Amino acid sequence: MQRILSTQLPARIGEPVRLAGWVHRRRLLKSVAFLILRDRAGLSQVVVTDPGVRAEVEAVGEETAVEVTGKAVANPAAPAGVEVVEPLVRVLGAPAQPPPFDLFRPELGATLPTQLDHASLSLRHATRATALRHSAAAAAGFRSTLDGLGFVEVHTPKIVASSTESGANVFSIDYFGRPAFLAQSPQFYKQMMVGVFERVYEVGPVFRAEPHETGRHLAQYTSLDAELGFVEDHRDVMAVLTEVIRGMVGATGLPAAMPAEFPAVHFTEALKIAGAAQDSGSGPADLAPADERAVGEWALREHGSDFVFVTGYPMAKRPFYTHPDPARPGYTNGFDLLFRGVELVTGGQRLHRYEDYVAALAARGEPLAPYESYVETFRHGMPPHGGFAIGLERFVARLTGATNVREVTAFPRDRHRLAP
Amino acid sequence: MQRILSTQLPARIGEPVRLAGWVHRRRLLKSVAFLILRDRAGLSQVVVTDPGVRAEVEAVGEETAVEVTGKAVANPAAPAGVEVVEPLVRVLGAPAQPPPFDLFRPELGATLPTQLDHASLSLRHATRATALRHSAAAAAGFRSTLDGLGFVEVHTPKIVASSTESGANVFSIDYFGRPAFLAQSPQFYKQMMVGVFERVYEVGPVFRAEPHETGRHLAQYTSLDAELGFVEDHRDVMAVLTEVIRGMVGATGLPAAMPAEFPAVHFTEALKIAGAAQDSGSGPADLAPADERAVGEWALREHGSDFVFVTGYPMAKRPFYTHPDPARPGYTNGFDLLFRGVELVTGGQRLHRYEDYVAALAARGEPLAPYESYVETFRHGMPPHGGFAIGLERFVARLTGATNVREVTAFPRDRHRLAP
């Protein structure tokens, strides 16, 4: 007999069935015992009256992997109106010890560090598993939106000869006796691939040796990167990003306030909204977390939007490949997208002329040599282009209301955590 | 006017059009000049008669990024029966120097090392770009097949505390002052996630410090990993893999000989087919490349199949988590899938009982401690399960007939190559 899933039970009433999954919970009443079976689709109720089978059910602990054969019968009082009677239970994988915390309660009682120490077990809990399902859906929504827009998926090196973003927060690696680094982003490679496919994306790990332990930083996270050529300026990039976000949120089925167009404010306007003290001289070059919260509240209040673009960040805090705003010296065509008051996406238009790269590196006092194979791309005819990078874990955390990205990451890596 | 792609031209005959792309080639005849424009969809022919425009076209070199506005007219002699006349040409990105090799010829003349040194340029060539499109299609086929079978995508750590497969060929990393390693596979994590979702997959980079430089090994490659629970044995895994391969080949549109069921031979049979000298004592524990070729030829000849499973590999050469064949001591439920005579996939049923892991490590004289957080999973009720890993680059190389995986990898990494 073919195994069926819990969700297929209502279609099998009156028939013999075979289920498999984990013993989620047992309720041992006087005249009857209930075994709640958990499979990848949900829960089913198994009713045990036979004394021999009952003895077996009493012997198997929660989280035992079992197979149950029996008969599906209608019972309006049971979940989904169906339960399994006259069961036979076969143990497929017995636990060596009981779980250190209960998985059948609505909330995981264990602290986050305990959950993370026992990740392969805590992830079985509905709240943790559901967050990871949302994560998979969001990544699928990212890809399908971009596939529909003619983007091509690429896979780029994670071991690089020089750090991509800056010298800081980079992991060193012994590469056949030579020094190398873990890529902090696929930035250079996705730009290089614009010359090949015009429009590319990558879903992959990036690595940051974050010295601080916060609820929004990880040493490894999944970056959803896209880059597109033949743009007018950063606004074409923002239009694609808006579609992508809509596709990602839609794929999860979770609610978020998204007007037809996301509001966008210039950096200088954002400072005013946030009421941030603007130095009369150079002024602040970035938004503080409190500023981002204030701008997020403004966007929801004034535009009914959980998302808001902040455009035109000052040159000082953006990477050297950022395209300046031709109309406003000192400012750039770089933007951030805030989601519920937290920076979720960084993007913008990039430089595309060889001489501009040479000048930009010189202006920062940086040598050209470490960037040689990247900058070579721009010697051979590159169109105006731009792109963005979305942190998957941060997106899912904001969307699900998790306060720490570790709650929505299967096996997080940080300064102190290298296992499991 | 909205930009259109080359493939949209035939629908616009008689209309003004705007194209953008790269100057693929120029043909400067006496009375007329042709500019062949390359965009992400293909090529278009632009006809230049105006002397002023002609002078501009003469001045822009191949690989200049340009925008062309003009009028689409029918011409049965032109590619796709359409060309652009009365053009205006605007330079979007001028090259700083001419390409070191021609991109418009049917084959790239440069040697493979030269191509790889100038990857961002050589990948623009049709042969190289097409291979990467096949790679993207194959990965999409992998995911869509598994999505249809109820698998969930996961993202797992690439920085690990102990090597996953063996102590050899592992890259060391400085992890906040502690030693750590780059993951050689997501093996342990995908097994752990079987306890959560039953069926999981991951598309991601894996890292092998391969000491040898061959046409089939890379220091980083894209591994397509899947793992599924509640299997009877390895044959359930092989059935899923067969569907996945069919989905991947189908997504590329390239031909491959695939009967309804892929032939499968036991390791001992494979040795006989290959005519390998079988030691009367313990016998060989693996197939040599020549043996794989012979088995591949046999599968094509006898079963009309480019794919053939070799099952029941001896314990000696399989990792400690491999499930033994209960009916045949010394052999396993581990398999390889050969594609046109080369190993493409390794897979099998895994151990699922805690005590079996403890015994397997003890039998190999390995301590339990480095595997503690992995083995803990099996203390908490795991079903019989198995999975497989497909090397994406190797798959695309075999499918396209490339003799070296570097020909189908955007930016390969090996012992000698760390840039671009």
Side-chain angles (χ1 to χ4, degrees), chain A residues 126-164:
Chain A
T127 56
R128 300 292 314 275
T130 301
L132 294 187
R133 281 188 192 272
H134 289 316
S135 178
F142 173 84
R143 287 189 298 253
S144 66
T145 304
L146 292 173
D147 286 343
L149 295 170
F151 282 69
V152 177
E153 185 183 23
V154 296
H155 302 284
T156 69
K158 305 308 161 202
I159 305 176
V160 294
S162 50
S163 71
T164 45

mmCIF file of all heavy atoms in Angstrom, chain A residues 126-164:
data_model
loop_
_atom_site.group_PDB
_atom_site.id
_atom_site.type_symbol
_atom_site.label_atom_id
_atom_site.label_comp_id
_atom_site.label_asym_id
_atom_site.label_seq_id
_atom_site.Cartn_x
_atom_site.Cartn_y
_atom_site.Cartn_z
ATOM 1 N N ALA A 126 6.808 23.671 14.732
ATOM 2 C CA ALA A 126 6.046 24.348 13.669
ATOM 3 C C ALA A 126 6.510 25.785 13.433
ATOM 4 O O ALA A 126 6.651 26.208 12.278
ATOM 5 C CB ALA A 126 4.560 24.321 13.987
ATOM 6 N N THR A 127 6.782 26.542 14.512
ATOM 7 C CA THR A 127 7.153 27.949 14.313
ATOM 8 C C THR A 127 8.467 28.070 13.561
ATOM 9 O O THR A 127 8.602 28.902 12.656
ATOM 10 C CB THR A 127 7.299 28.695 15.658
ATOM 11 O OG1 THR A 127 8.253 28.000 16.462
ATOM 12 C CG2 THR A 127 5.976 28.766 16.393
ATOM 13 N N ARG A 128 9.442 27.235 13.931
ATOM 14 C CA ARG A 128 10.745 27.310 13.265
ATOM 15 C C ARG A 128 10.665 26.765 11.837
ATOM 16 O O ARG A 128 11.213 27.346 10.905
ATOM 17 C CB ARG A 128 11.811 26.544 14.070
ATOM 18 C CG ARG A 128 12.052 27.027 15.507
ATOM 19 C CD ARG A 128 12.699 28.404 15.592
ATOM 20 N NE ARG A 128 13.834 28.572 14.699
ATOM 21 C CZ ARG A 128 15.087 28.209 14.958
ATOM 22 N NH1 ARG A 128 15.393 27.682 16.137
ATOM 23 N NH2 ARG A 128 16.043 28.386 14.080
ATOM 24 N N ALA A 129 9.970 25.640 11.663
ATOM 25 C CA ALA A 129 9.868 25.031 10.332
ATOM 26 C C ALA A 129 9.109 25.953 9.374
ATOM 27 O O ALA A 129 9.480 26.089 8.204
ATOM 28 C CB ALA A 129 9.188 23.669 10.418
ATOM 29 N N THR A 130 8.055 26.583 9.883
ATOM 30 C CA THR A 130 7.258 27.467 9.024
ATOM 31 C C THR A 130 8.086 28.643 8.526
ATOM 32 O O THR A 130 7.992 29.044 7.358
ATOM 33 C CB THR A 130 6.020 27.970 9.786
ATOM 34 O OG1 THR A 130 5.265 26.832 10.187
ATOM 35 C CG2 THR A 130 5.147 28.855 8.907
ATOM 36 N N ALA A 131 8.913 29.205 9.401
ATOM 37 C CA ALA A 131 9.769 30.322 8.981
ATOM 38 C C ALA A 131 10.692 29.896 7.842
ATOM 39 O O ALA A 131 10.909 30.643 6.884
ATOM 40 C CB ALA A 131 10.584 30.833 10.167
ATOM 41 N N LEU A 132 11.232 28.672 7.929
ATOM 42 C CA LEU A 132 12.123 28.203 6.860
ATOM 43 C C LEU A 132 11.356 27.911 5.578
ATOM 44 O O LEU A 132 11.895 28.057 4.476
ATOM 45 C CB LEU A 132 12.899 26.971 7.323
ATOM 46 C CG LEU A 132 13.892 27.206 8.467
ATOM 47 C CD1 LEU A 132 14.716 25.951 8.710
ATOM 48 C CD2 LEU A 132 14.816 28.376 8.182
ATOM 49 N N ARG A 133 10.102 27.499 5.719
ATOM 50 C CA ARG A 133 9.269 27.337 4.514
ATOM 51 C C ARG A 133 9.036 28.702 3.851
ATOM 52 O O ARG A 133 9.036 28.815 2.633
ATOM 53 C CB ARG A 133 7.914 26.705 4.855
ATOM 54 C CG ARG A 133 7.969 25.204 5.052
ATOM 55 C CD ARG A 133 6.556 24.636 5.202
ATOM 56 N NE ARG A 133 6.586 23.269 5.668
ATOM 57 C CZ ARG A 133 6.675 22.204 4.868
ATOM 58 N NH1 ARG A 133 6.721 22.374 3.558
ATOM 59 N NH2 ARG A 133 6.709 20.988 5.374
ATOM 60 N N HIS A 134 8.813 29.735 4.668
ATOM 61 C CA HIS A 134 8.662 31.080 4.116
ATOM 62 C C HIS A 134 9.944 31.517 3.409
ATOM 63 O O HIS A 134 9.905 32.180 2.371
ATOM 64 C CB HIS A 134 8.321 32.087 5.213
ATOM 65 C CG HIS A 134 6.926 31.944 5.755
ATOM 66 N ND1 HIS A 134 5.836 31.762 4.937
ATOM 67 C CD2 HIS A 134 6.448 31.947 7.020
ATOM 68 C CE1 HIS A 134 4.743 31.668 5.680
ATOM 69 N NE2 HIS A 134 5.095 31.767 6.945
ATOM 70 N N SER A 135 11.068 31.149 3.981
ATOM 71 C CA SER A 135 12.357 31.477 3.397
ATOM 72 C C SER A 135 12.499 30.823 2.017
ATOM 73 O O SER A 135 12.903 31.469 1.043
ATOM 74 C CB SER A 135 13.458 31.001 4.349
ATOM 75 O OG SER A 135 14.718 31.248 3.814
ATOM 76 N N ALA A 136 12.136 29.543 1.921
ATOM 77 C CA ALA A 136 12.198 28.841 0.631
ATOM 78 C C ALA A 136 11.235 29.481 -0.369
ATOM 79 O O ALA A 136 11.575 29.667 -1.540
ATOM 80 C CB ALA A 136 11.865 27.359 0.826
ATOM 81 N N ALA A 137 10.046 29.850 0.095
ATOM 82 C CA ALA A 137 9.059 30.472 -0.796
ATOM 83 C C ALA A 137 9.569 31.825 -1.295
ATOM 84 O O ALA A 137 9.420 32.159 -2.474
ATOM 85 C CB ALA A 137 7.729 30.631 -0.078
ATOM 86 N N ALA A 138 10.169 32.599 -0.389
ATOM 87 C CA ALA A 138 10.664 33.928 -0.767
ATOM 88 C C ALA A 138 11.763 33.815 -1.821
ATOM 89 O O ALA A 138 11.782 34.575 -2.800
ATOM 90 C CB ALA A 138 11.187 34.665 0.464
ATOM 91 N N ALA A 139 12.681 32.866 -1.636
ATOM 92 C CA ALA A 139 13.750 32.673 -2.632
ATOM 93 C C ALA A 139 13.155 32.248 -3.972
ATOM 94 O O ALA A 139 13.598 32.707 -5.028
ATOM 95 C CB ALA A 139 14.762 31.643 -2.138
ATOM 96 N N ALA A 140 12.144 31.394 -3.927
ATOM 97 C CA ALA A 140 11.482 30.961 -5.166
ATOM 98 C C ALA A 140 10.786 32.147 -5.839
ATOM 99 O O ALA A 140 10.817 32.285 -7.068
ATOM 100 C CB ALA A 140 10.488 29.841 -4.879
ATOM 101 N N GLY A 141 10.177 33.029 -5.025
ATOM 102 C CA GLY A 141 9.520 34.219 -5.574
ATOM 103 C C GLY A 141 10.522 35.177 -6.207
ATOM 104 O O GLY A 141 10.247 35.785 -7.242
ATOM 105 N N PHE A 142 11.681 35.284 -5.580
ATOM 106 C CA PHE A 142 12.770 36.100 -6.144
ATOM 107 C C PHE A 142 13.150 35.575 -7.528
ATOM 108 O O PHE A 142 13.184 36.318 -8.505
ATOM 109 C CB PHE A 142 13.973 36.038 -5.189
ATOM 110 C CG PHE A 142 15.236 36.687 -5.685
ATOM 111 C CD1 PHE A 142 15.432 38.053 -5.538
ATOM 112 C CD2 PHE A 142 16.244 35.938 -6.277
ATOM 113 C CE1 PHE A 142 16.603 38.667 -5.979
ATOM 114 C CE2 PHE A 142 17.417 36.530 -6.728
ATOM 115 C CZ PHE A 142 17.592 37.902 -6.570
ATOM 116 N N ARG A 143 13.396 34.278 -7.597
ATOM 117 C CA ARG A 143 13.839 33.692 -8.868
ATOM 118 C C ARG A 143 12.758 33.771 -9.944
ATOM 119 O O ARG A 143 13.045 34.117 -11.095
ATOM 120 C CB ARG A 143 14.255 32.227 -8.661
ATOM 121 C CG ARG A 143 15.577 32.068 -7.933
ATOM 122 C CD ARG A 143 16.041 30.611 -7.960
ATOM 123 N NE ARG A 143 15.093 29.760 -7.278
ATOM 124 C CZ ARG A 143 15.307 29.213 -6.088
ATOM 125 N NH1 ARG A 143 16.433 29.405 -5.441
ATOM 126 N NH2 ARG A 143 14.388 28.451 -5.541
ATOM 127 N N SER A 144 11.521 33.428 -9.577
ATOM 128 C CA SER A 144 10.491 33.365 -10.623
ATOM 129 C C SER A 144 10.183 34.760 -11.160
ATOM 130 O O SER A 144 9.932 34.916 -12.357
ATOM 131 C CB SER A 144 9.239 32.663 -10.114
ATOM 132 O OG SER A 144 8.632 33.425 -9.102
ATOM 133 N N THR A 145 10.223 35.780 -10.304
ATOM 134 C CA THR A 145 10.003 37.145 -10.795
ATOM 135 C C THR A 145 11.088 37.520 -11.796
ATOM 136 O O THR A 145 10.807 38.042 -12.880
ATOM 137 C CB THR A 145 10.010 38.151 -9.629
ATOM 138 O OG1 THR A 145 9.025 37.746 -8.671
ATOM 139 C CG2 THR A 145 9.696 39.557 -10.114
ATOM 140 N N LEU A 146 12.334 37.235 -11.454
ATOM 141 C CA LEU A 146 13.446 37.616 -12.329
ATOM 142 C C LEU A 146 13.499 36.750 -13.591
ATOM 143 O O LEU A 146 13.828 37.246 -14.678
ATOM 144 C CB LEU A 146 14.756 37.575 -11.552
ATOM 145 C CG LEU A 146 14.852 38.658 -10.465
ATOM 146 C CD1 LEU A 146 16.100 38.467 -9.620
ATOM 147 C CD2 LEU A 146 14.856 40.062 -11.089
ATOM 148 N N ASP A 147 13.167 35.461 -13.458
ATOM 149 C CA ASP A 147 13.077 34.615 -14.659
ATOM 150 C C ASP A 147 12.088 35.243 -15.645
ATOM 151 O O ASP A 147 12.332 35.289 -16.851
ATOM 152 C CB ASP A 147 12.601 33.199 -14.293
ATOM 153 C CG ASP A 147 13.675 32.375 -13.591
ATOM 154 O OD1 ASP A 147 14.860 32.748 -13.668
ATOM 155 O OD2 ASP A 147 13.330 31.357 -12.972
ATOM 156 N N GLY A 148 10.979 35.733 -15.106
ATOM 157 C CA GLY A 148 9.950 36.340 -15.952
ATOM 158 C C GLY A 148 10.412 37.632 -16.619
ATOM 159 O O GLY A 148 9.831 38.062 -17.607
ATOM 160 N N LEU A 149 11.455 38.241 -16.058
ATOM 161 C CA LEU A 149 11.977 39.495 -16.616
ATOM 162 C C LEU A 149 13.227 39.268 -17.464
ATOM 163 O O LEU A 149 13.935 40.222 -17.803
ATOM 164 C CB LEU A 149 12.283 40.486 -15.482
ATOM 165 C CG LEU A 149 11.063 40.980 -14.677
ATOM 166 C CD1 LEU A 149 11.502 41.757 -13.443
ATOM 167 C CD2 LEU A 149 10.160 41.851 -15.558
ATOM 168 N N GLY A 150 13.516 38.013 -17.788
ATOM 169 C CA GLY A 150 14.624 37.714 -18.687
ATOM 170 C C GLY A 150 15.988 37.652 -18.032
ATOM 171 O O GLY A 150 17.014 37.746 -18.719
ATOM 172 N N PHE A 151 16.030 37.501 -16.702
ATOM 173 C CA PHE A 151 17.312 37.365 -16.004
ATOM 174 C C PHE A 151 17.819 35.922 -16.122
ATOM 175 O O PHE A 151 17.023 34.999 -16.275
ATOM 176 C CB PHE A 151 17.149 37.718 -14.525
ATOM 177 C CG PHE A 151 17.086 39.209 -14.249
ATOM 178 C CD1 PHE A 151 15.992 39.970 -14.660
ATOM 179 C CD2 PHE A 151 18.117 39.843 -13.578
ATOM 180 C CE1 PHE A 151 15.935 41.335 -14.406
ATOM 181 C CE2 PHE A 151 18.064 41.207 -13.320
ATOM 182 C CZ PHE A 151 16.972 41.958 -13.724
ATOM 183 N N VAL A 152 19.135 35.769 -16.020
ATOM 184 C CA VAL A 152 19.768 34.450 -16.060
ATOM 185 C C VAL A 152 20.459 34.211 -14.717
ATOM 186 O O VAL A 152 21.146 35.101 -14.204
ATOM 187 C CB VAL A 152 20.806 34.353 -17.201
ATOM 188 C CG1 VAL A 152 21.517 33.003 -17.187
ATOM 189 C CG2 VAL A 152 20.133 34.583 -18.556
ATOM 190 N N GLU A 153 20.284 33.032 -14.162
ATOM 191 C CA GLU A 153 20.934 32.691 -12.892
ATOM 192 C C GLU A 153 22.417 32.385 -13.107
ATOM 193 O O GLU A 153 22.769 31.683 -14.049
ATOM 194 C CB GLU A 153 20.258 31.473 -12.255
ATOM 195 C CG GLU A 153 20.814 31.157 -10.879
ATOM 196 C CD GLU A 153 20.202 29.918 -10.256
ATOM 197 O OE1 GLU A 153 19.685 29.058 -10.987
ATOM 198 O OE2 GLU A 153 20.275 29.791 -9.021
ATOM 199 N N VAL A 154 23.258 32.914 -12.220
ATOM 200 C CA VAL A 154 24.692 32.632 -12.309
ATOM 201 C C VAL A 154 25.206 32.103 -10.965
ATOM 202 O O VAL A 154 24.548 32.264 -9.928
ATOM 203 C CB VAL A 154 25.499 33.894 -12.702
ATOM 204 C CG1 VAL A 154 25.110 34.367 -14.099
ATOM 205 C CG2 VAL A 154 25.315 35.020 -11.689
ATOM 206 N N HIS A 155 26.357 31.442 -11.019
ATOM 207 C CA HIS A 155 27.032 30.954 -9.821
ATOM 208 C C HIS A 155 28.452 31.499 -9.870
ATOM 209 O O HIS A 155 29.164 31.243 -10.841
ATOM 210 C CB HIS A 155 27.044 29.426 -9.795
ATOM 211 C CG HIS A 155 25.677 28.831 -9.845
ATOM 212 N ND1 HIS A 155 24.838 28.804 -8.755
ATOM 213 C CD2 HIS A 155 24.977 28.290 -10.861
ATOM 214 C CE1 HIS A 155 23.693 28.256 -9.102
ATOM 215 N NE2 HIS A 155 23.741 27.923 -10.377
ATOM 216 N N THR A 156 28.848 32.242 -8.848
ATOM 217 C CA THR A 156 30.140 32.929 -8.899
ATOM 218 C C THR A 156 31.030 32.486 -7.736
ATOM 219 O O THR A 156 30.550 31.873 -6.779
ATOM 220 C CB THR A 156 29.925 34.459 -8.883
ATOM 221 O OG1 THR A 156 29.447 34.843 -7.600
ATOM 222 C CG2 THR A 156 28.940 34.888 -9.963
ATOM 223 N N PRO A 157 32.327 32.796 -7.825
ATOM 224 C CA PRO A 157 33.281 32.299 -6.823
ATOM 225 C C PRO A 157 33.024 32.867 -5.423
ATOM 226 O O PRO A 157 32.751 34.061 -5.266
ATOM 227 C CB PRO A 157 34.632 32.797 -7.335
ATOM 228 C CG PRO A 157 34.434 33.094 -8.774
ATOM 229 C CD PRO A 157 33.010 33.542 -8.894
ATOM 230 N N LYS A 158 33.154 32.013 -4.442
ATOM 231 C CA LYS A 158 33.076 32.437 -3.043
ATOM 232 C C LYS A 158 34.466 32.589 -2.431
ATOM 233 O O LYS A 158 34.605 33.070 -1.309
ATOM 234 C CB LYS A 158 32.239 31.442 -2.231
ATOM 235 C CG LYS A 158 30.829 31.212 -2.812
ATOM 236 C CD LYS A 158 30.071 32.498 -3.052
ATOM 237 C CE LYS A 158 28.915 32.329 -4.031
ATOM 238 N NZ LYS A 158 28.524 33.614 -4.637
ATOM 239 N N ILE A 159 35.471 32.125 -3.151
ATOM 240 C CA ILE A 159 36.864 32.306 -2.740
ATOM 241 C C ILE A 159 37.463 33.334 -3.691
ATOM 242 O O ILE A 159 37.453 33.133 -4.903
ATOM 243 C CB ILE A 159 37.663 30.993 -2.810
ATOM 244 C CG1 ILE A 159 36.972 29.895 -1.998
ATOM 245 C CG2 ILE A 159 39.092 31.200 -2.331
ATOM 246 C CD1 ILE A 159 37.646 28.531 -2.104
ATOM 247 N N VAL A 160 37.945 34.435 -3.135
ATOM 248 C CA VAL A 160 38.411 35.540 -3.973
ATOM 249 C C VAL A 160 39.799 35.996 -3.530
ATOM 250 O O VAL A 160 40.206 35.766 -2.387
ATOM 251 C CB VAL A 160 37.416 36.720 -3.939
ATOM 252 C CG1 VAL A 160 36.094 36.326 -4.598
ATOM 253 C CG2 VAL A 160 37.182 37.207 -2.522
ATOM 254 N N ALA A 161 40.483 36.664 -4.464
ATOM 255 C CA ALA A 161 41.864 37.084 -4.206
ATOM 256 C C ALA A 161 41.932 38.359 -3.386
ATOM 257 O O ALA A 161 42.904 38.610 -2.679
ATOM 258 C CB ALA A 161 42.602 37.279 -5.530
ATOM 259 N N SER A 162 40.899 39.219 -3.499
ATOM 260 C CA SER A 162 40.887 40.439 -2.699
ATOM 261 C C SER A 162 39.462 40.691 -2.228
ATOM 262 O O SER A 162 38.509 40.254 -2.863
ATOM 263 C CB SER A 162 41.408 41.624 -3.515
ATOM 264 O OG SER A 162 40.757 41.693 -4.753
ATOM 265 N N SER A 163 39.325 41.394 -1.138
ATOM 266 C CA SER A 163 38.006 41.575 -0.552
ATOM 267 C C SER A 163 37.168 42.466 -1.451
ATOM 268 O O SER A 163 37.677 43.395 -2.083
ATOM 269 C CB SER A 163 38.116 42.178 0.838
ATOM 270 O OG SER A 163 38.513 43.521 0.762
ATOM 271 N N THR A 164 35.880 42.167 -1.554
ATOM 272 C CA THR A 164 35.034 42.838 -2.536
ATOM 273 C C THR A 164 34.524 44.182 -2.046
ATOM 274 O O THR A 164 34.407 45.116 -2.811
ATOM 275 C CB THR A 164 33.825 41.961 -2.897
ATOM 276 O OG1 THR A 164 33.263 41.431 -1.696
ATOM 277 C CG2 THR A 164 34.237 40.841 -3.795
#
